[in-house]
Amino acid sequence: MKRIGKRRICQSAYASALRGSGETVSSSGRLTMADIEKLAREAVRVIPARVAYFAPLVGVTYGRITIRNQRSRWGSCSSKGNLNFNCLLMLAPPEVLDSVIVHELCHRLEMNHSKRFYAHVHRVYPEYDRAHAWLKEHGTELMRRMTG
C-alpha cells in the first residue's frame, strides 16, 4: 500500500493513479489489471469527495480512506474510523456508491447492523433500500469481473 495524503490505494494501482488517464474501462468481461488501475484512479478522485460531502450529514469524522480491489466487500469501517472502499464501486450507479459511503460512515455511530444503525442510514440516505437492492442484484456479477 502507498499513501497519497490521507488516502491509501493498492500498490499495483499507485503509479497509474498518479499519472491519470482519459481511458475508459471495458464494459463487460473480466477486468484486466489496467482496468482495475483505471477504476482505482477514478475511485481516488471521486470517493474522498463523496465521503467529505456525507460525513457532516451523518455527523461524524473519519480517518484514512483506502481504495482496494477487494473480491468480497464493498466497504468497511474500522473502529478507529478508517474507511475502505472497493474500486469496483466505480462500475455501479452513483447512487449505489453514495449508499455504500453513507453505510460505512454510519458505522461511526453504530458498529453493528441494528435498527438504530439503519435508522441513521435512512435519515441521511432515504433511497438506501433501492440502492442496496441494486447492489444485491448486480454486485455478484461485478465481483465476478475481477475474479473471472
Side-chain angles (χ1 to χ4, degrees), residues 7-8 16 22-23 31 42 50 55 58 64 71-72 87 89 94 98 102-103 105 122 136 139 141-142:
R7 294 174 234 145
R8 294 187 331 169
S16 297
E23 300 172 74
L31 294 168
E42 184 71 3
R50 299 308 292 158
V58 175
R64 288 188 308 263
R71 297 172 193 268
S72 62
C87 65
L89 284 167
D98 286 347
V102 169
H103 180 108
L105 285 169
H122 287 100
K136 282 282 212 194
E141 67 189 69
L142 290 181

Side-chain angles (χ1 to χ4, degrees), residues 63 76-84 107-108 111:
S76 63
C77 175
S78 75
S79 59
K80 294 182 179 181
N82 296 325
L83 304 171
N84 300 301
H107 279 308
R108 298 289 291 131
M111 286 298 283

